Amino acid sequence: MQATARKAVALFVAAMMALTMAFIAAPSKAFAATTGDLTITSQSAEFKGKDVKAWQMFSATVTADGKNASYTLNAEWEGLFTTEIGGNMAGLSGEELSQKAFEYVNALGTDEGANVIAFAKKASDWAKKNSIAATSSATASGDSASYVATFSGLAFGYYVVSPQGGSTADRGTDAILANVVTADKNVNLKSEYPTIEKTVDGDNHADAQVGDTLNFALTSKVPNMAEYNTYVFNFVDTLSKGLTLDQGTIKVTIGNLELQKDADYTVSVTGSNGAATELKVIMADFKTKHGDKASQDIKVTYSASINEHAVAGQDDAGNSAKLEYSNDPINGGTGESVPDVTHGYTFDFDITKTDGMDGSALAGAVFQLQKKGEGTPSS
């Protein structure tokens, strides 16, 4: 009996060693990936710093060759399809609802199509209204070449992606539907964010002296406000201490239409008297009055004079403008554009006319200084 037992143990050990050697010798098999990276890219500097959220609507199981995938609707999204979408999905549940929901999404068309865009907006709005926790979030970063928000290690599936709101001038909504079933998925964000350009006498800089008058313009575009019930849109302009604002020259236009103060906008001015001045132009009932003017130029113009607080020979720093605008149609949040800066240079001269031979001062010398391009000096 003991001999038999010893023989059985020896056979078992031999078998295990053979199995171990076979495992080591056999080539390792490639396992199908289960996660991927999703990158949202924009060419707009306004995208930098924006928060982006992603919700997994369907989980996905991908075949080893990566050519096919099966999808399962996540439980927290069932209400979107049974109540908001409804139709033949009302009253369904479980696998039957999951299949019908995927068929519905799959039939919407291409990622850039109007049906997909409309559904993505409906889905992101529904998630926010129902406080569905985002699967992941990212913050956009980058430089002048491109700005990106990257989600790393997302489990395969269909995702609803919602960046902080922009003007939505091109896309119609900021929401995106992204099918992540490969190691890398890249989406180009086509929405535009509100931007502002500030110019002085038609340029981004001016040379002047105390007493001169400069003409400023703040230019933007009317955003697409279709997904909002109300919309905040304000110009916030900072004038350096060396500038005195002429409030009587403030004018606001959309295209060729001049808007009326107090009826279409209000003005708030604070500061001055040796400190910076803040000019704020607050649009009134912007969505109601101008919701049909998306992409038209909106411009604020005014004049300001160089005062005694300007520092000669230095850049008149602190002269910039930005926008405040709505970026959350659900909760009413607002954001700010990247400030645009203009530069002013003030000059002061002490000039002595001297004799070219001995360097002595010339009594009664008369001369003129003119800016370049101002013509021939008078005699």
Side-chain angles (χ1 to χ4, degrees):
M1 174 68 85
Q2 289 180 350
T4 302
R6 284 195 297 271
K7 184 182 291 187
V9 171
L11 288 172
F12 175 76
V13 171
M16 287 300 295
M17 290 179 66
L19 180 60
T20 300
M21 294 302 294
F23 178 79
I24 294 172
S28 59
K29 293 183 178 180
F31 291 92
T34 59
T35 64
D37 295 343
L38 172 62
T39 302
I40 311 298
T41 303
S42 175
Q43 303 307 310
S44 172
E46 300 293 333
F47 186 49
K48 186 175 182 179
K50 296 294 190 296
D51 181 56
V52 187
K53 296 185 183 301
W55 293 264
Q56 189 193 61
M57 177 181 288
F58 293 88
S59 61
T61 301
V62 182
T63 57
D65 60 10
K67 295 182 178 180
N68 296 287
S70 59
Y71 298 84
T72 302
L73 180 66
N74 290 338
E76 61 266 29
W77 285 93
E78 291 182 355
L80 171 68
F81 292 93
T82 57
T83 60
E84 295 294 311
I85 307 300
N88 63 357
M89 290 180 284
L92 298 183
S93 61
E95 292 184 8
E96 189 176 11
L97 173 60
S98 182
Q99 180 63 29
K100 291 292 184 183
F102 178 73
E103 290 174 358
Y104 176 87
V105 172
N106 194 49
L108 293 174
T110 64
D111 290 346
E112 302 300 326
N115 291 335
V116 170
I117 292 169
F119 174 75
K121 170 182 163 38
K122 182 187 289 288
S124 65
D125 286 353
W126 186 86
K128 295 170 186 175
K129 287 178 181 177
N130 289 276
S131 300
I132 304 299
T135 306
S136 184
S137 62
T139 301
S141 61
D143 53 32
S144 57
S146 66
Y147 303 87
V148 299
T150 301
F151 299 88
S152 300
L154 289 180
F156 283 165
Y158 251 119
Y159 286 83
V160 177
V161 182
S162 179
Q164 281 183 279
S167 72
T168 67
D170 288 340
R171 195 181 185 95
T173 175
D174 289 313
I176 299 166
L177 195 62
N179 188 14
V180 182
V181 290
T182 57
D184 296 290
K185 173 73 173 180
N186 299 290
V187 177
N188 185 39
L189 181 63
K190 292 190 174 182
S191 300
E192 293 181 359
Y193 287 87
T195 60
I196 187 171
E197 180 184 26
K198 182 174 183 177
T199 58
V200 52
D201 289 340
D203 207 337
N204 67 353
H205 68 278
D207 300 334
Q209 59 185 347
V210 173
D212 283 355
T213 296
L214 301 176
N215 299 303
F216 290 88
L218 316 177
T219 304
S220 186
K221 289 186 180 296
V222 177
N224 185 324
M225 299 173 269
E227 59 186 309
Y228 292 83
N229 294 320
T230 60
Y231 198 92
V232 172
F233 196 80
N234 305 323
F235 291 85
V236 182
D237 188 22
T238 301
L239 289 76
S240 60
K241 66 180 182 178
L243 290 169
T244 300
L245 171 67
D246 183 350
Q247 295 190 44
T249 63
I250 296 171
K251 184 168 71 171
V252 182
T253 58
I254 295 180
N256 295 321
L257 174 66
E258 182 173 349
L259 306 187
Q260 300 302 308
K261 184 181 177 183
D262 297 327
D264 297 315
Y265 66 92
T266 58
V267 173
S268 170
V269 178
T270 57
S272 73
N273 295 322
T277 298
E278 182 184 89
L279 165 64
K280 190 168 186 177
V281 178
I282 304 162
M283 307 308 298
D285 299 326
F286 197 51
K287 166 69 184 287
T288 302
K289 292 175 178 289
H290 308 295
D292 60 343
K293 300 181 179 67
S295 296
Q296 293 188 30
D297 285 344
I298 178 169
K299 183 180 292 187
V300 175
T301 59
Y302 64 86
S303 297
S305 58
I306 306 292
N307 62 39
E308 70 277 13
H309 300 291
V311 180
Q314 294 185 16
D315 179 8
D316 199 9
N319 203 3
S320 65
K322 63 183 179 181
L323 295 171
E324 294 177 346
Y325 62 89
S326 292
N327 67 358
D328 186 346
I330 304 302
N331 301 308
T334 60
E336 294 183 350
S337 70
V338 174
D340 192 43
V341 179
T342 60
H343 302 272
Y345 299 90
T346 305
F347 294 95
D348 188 15
F349 298 95
D350 289 320
I351 300 176
T352 303
K353 188 72 171 178
T354 60
D355 188 292
M357 298 296 291
D358 60 15
S360 62
L362 293 179
V366 177
F367 53 90
Q368 290 181 331
L369 289 177
Q370 288 188 325
K371 292 181 181 179
K372 184 178 179 180
E374 287 189 345
T376 303
S378 59
S379 57

